[in-house]
Amino acid sequence: MTTEPRTFPPRPLPAVKAVYARQAGCPSSFALAVADFEPWQEGVEFETADTGTVPGWSAAEVSELHEAFGSGVREELEELATREPGTTVAVAVVLRSVKVHEVDSHPRAFRQAGRQAVRNALTEAYGPPPATWPRLP
């Protein structure tokens, strides 16, 4: 837990990649997304760049994936405020690209990818979280 006030993100974090893949059996899940995290006004602003077309997917289906990714980002950032009091979230997240699997991609996978993108951005900004278990010598 941090004791000093800080703002997330402390600087622009371009091209943060997030992969959520669970393919050990059925049902499977796959989502790959790349997003930029930019300092902004307090709160969370989410937008998509030109990622509106995915071959074989309708615009409505792709929009649903984008919305799910944004929901995952917001959920993870809300939990950040709870886990680390004193952290101010002031971010604009721009979803730059997505990759899908024709069968295994769905909104739940993109929601998890959104959460993972925030974790990856936090690691990039502040380093890995401290270990929660005792380390052996």
Side-chain angles (χ1 to χ4, degrees), residues 40-44 88-91:
W40 199 251
Q41 301 170 6
E42 190 169 333
V44 179
T88 301
V89 175
V91 64

Side-chain angles (χ1 to χ4, degrees), residues 2-3 10 19 28 33 70 103 112:
T2 186
T3 56
V19 177
S28 297
V103 175
Q112 291 300 331

Side-chain angles (χ1 to χ4, degrees), residues 18-66:
V19 177
Y20 180 75
R22 183 180 163 272
Q23 298 184 311
C26 291
S28 297
S29 298
F30 177 81
L32 186 150
V34 177
D36 296 340
F37 288 74
E38 299 282 338
W40 199 251
Q41 301 170 6
E42 190 169 333
V44 179
E45 180 70 28
F46 177 74
E47 63 183 68
T48 59
D50 188 21
T51 61
T53 59
V54 174
W57 291 63
S58 72
E61 290 170 319
V62 175
S63 178
E64 192 175 2
L65 299 179
H66 292 171

Side-chain angles (χ1 to χ4, degrees), residues 1 8 10 18 21 32 35-36 53 55 64 72 82-83 87 90 96 98 102-103 108-109 112 121 134:
M1 178 178 355
F8 175 77
L32 186 150
D36 296 340
T53 59
E64 192 175 2
T82 303
R83 282 191 319 262
T87 299
R96 293 285 174 200
V98 298
E102 63 186 36
V103 175
R108 285 185 324 273
Q112 291 300 331

